[in-house]
Amino acid sequence: MIKTKPQTLIVDNKYCPGCGHGVINRLVAEVLEELGVADQTIGAVAVGCACLMIDTFGIDWIQAQHGRAAAVAAIKRCRPDRTVLTYQGDGDALAIGFSETMYAAIRNENITVIFVNNTNFGMTGGQMAPTTLPGQKTTTSPYGRDCAVTGNPLKAIDMLKTLDIAYAARGAVTTAAEIAKTKRYIRNAFEAQLNGEGYSFVEVLSPCPTNWGMPPLAAKERVASTIQEYYPVGEFVKRGEKRHD
Ligand SMILES: Cc1ncc(C[n+]2csc(CCOP(=O)(O)OP(=O)(O)O)c2C)c(N)n1
Ligand code: SF4
């Protein structure tokens, strides 16, 4: 268990105050270091606030085009000795990158996807994403998301758990207890990859106070109440076995 700041976090992060990305970055760094694989890890990132990590999170990075991180993460096939992750927002992984996300899972690529769900396109100013909740106001749904027009929010894990994948879990970065649980999920996901079990996916519910127009504490409370109600946390696939129906 690492108590000091992980060495992988080479520069202070650039996220807004109260953003969940910073906590998630730290959890990923701690897990990689505890597993002893940080210096042999390759990350694939595309766009969004996720790509701010390239300068601050000290691993080898490939920057893909928008949505394509899971496709370039197939570098794992050429370098099976490396630990390979993608780190993606909900707009990136489930809108323009939906196909790449699903096909990497369909192929059961032996990679780990860290999927940050903040219910909007953060970096570009808070537009509606596939995960925007019913009724949620965004810059492109100013009267609230109308599901009769847009369809319902995507639940990635509900789709992924129909496939032959190794691991899927959803956590949140709200309380200390939830953060500890989320770290366990991230660890389980990387362990699945190190054991050669196949595709692992961890969704993390994360506040975006800037675009939600909320102070950090209220944004965290929105995750713990409204968002977790729609997107329950837990483990859904473990060692290829479905855990919830
Ligand atoms: C081909 C292309 N289209 C659009 C954009 C603009 N763009 C940059 S980031 C982004 C969305 C990011 O949202 P998300 O993946 O949810 O990440 P967040 O910033 O919320 O963490 C978009 C649409 C782009 N960079 N490339
Ligand atoms: S815009 Fe949102 S997701 Fe991006 S750094 Fe700021 S709070 Fe985080």
Side-chain angles (χ1 to χ4, degrees):
M1 175 72 72
I2 295 175
K3 300 288 184 202
T4 53
K5 184 175 168 183
Q7 291 178 351
T8 307
L9 302 177
I10 47 177
V11 179
D12 285 348
N13 74 58
K14 302 172 181 177
Y15 304 117
C16 308
C19 175
H21 274 298
V23 179
I24 303 163
N25 281 198
R26 174 153 183 158
L27 297 181
V28 174
E30 286 184 5
V31 168
L32 293 176
E33 291 185 17
E34 286 165 19
L35 293 173
V37 296
D39 59 358
Q40 53 98 322
T41 295
I42 300 173
V45 75
V47 303
C49 296
C51 68
L52 298 173
M53 286 171 86
I54 289 176
D55 296 332
T56 65
F57 197 99
I59 58 173
D60 290 336
W61 286 104
I62 309 174
Q63 184 159 24
Q65 289 181 323
H66 193 355
R68 279 41 172 175
V72 305
I75 193 171
K76 175 78 179 185
R77 292 185 181 209
C78 314
R79 295 301 305 263
D81 55 314
R82 299 293 195 104
T83 306
V84 176
L85 66 95
T86 79
Y87 186 104
Q88 299 176 265
D90 42 3
D92 184 51
L94 291 192
I96 194 169
F98 181 73
S99 174
E100 284 74 12
T101 298
M102 294 308 291
Y103 272 98
I106 288 166
R107 296 192 305 270
N108 200 19
E109 294 287 347
N110 192 28
I111 61 170
T112 299
V113 174
I114 307 294
F115 168 69
V116 180
N117 178 357
N118 59 17
T119 73
N120 70 189
F121 283 35
M123 180 172 264
T124 42
Q127 293 83 4
M128 193 180 85
T131 48
T132 297
L133 296 191
Q136 182 180 334
K137 289 184 180 169
T138 69
T139 50
T140 50
S141 56
Y143 303 109
R145 179 175 184 163
D146 177 358
C147 295
V149 175
T150 65
N152 291 319
L154 280 188
K155 294 184 170 178
I157 290 180
D158 285 3
M159 290 182 283
L160 292 171
K161 73 182 183 187
T162 66
L163 305 172
D164 289 329
I165 60 169
Y167 186 78
R170 184 184 294 118
V173 283
T174 46
T175 61
E178 289 297 340
I179 290 170
K181 222 159 49 172
T182 301
K183 180 174 174 181
R184 246 192 349 265
Y185 299 157
I186 292 171
R187 189 181 174 101
N188 289 345
F190 281 111
E191 282 179 344
Q193 181 180 161
L194 293 170
N195 294 336
E197 293 170 31
Y199 183 92
S200 51
F201 181 94
V202 182
E203 174 171 350
V204 187
L205 305 176
S206 175
C208 175
T210 300
N211 288 303
W212 297 353
M214 288 179 173
L217 198 56
K220 208 168 56 156
E221 279 160 7
R222 174 173 184 258
V223 176
S225 54
T226 319
I227 300 181
Q228 270 185 236
E229 198 179 314
Y230 199 87
Y231 287 110
V233 299
E235 288 181 306
F236 298 89
V237 183
K238 197 167 183 184
R239 291 186 203 93
E241 300 290 327
K242 319 287 180 253
R243 294 169 69 86
H244 294 279
D245 277 316

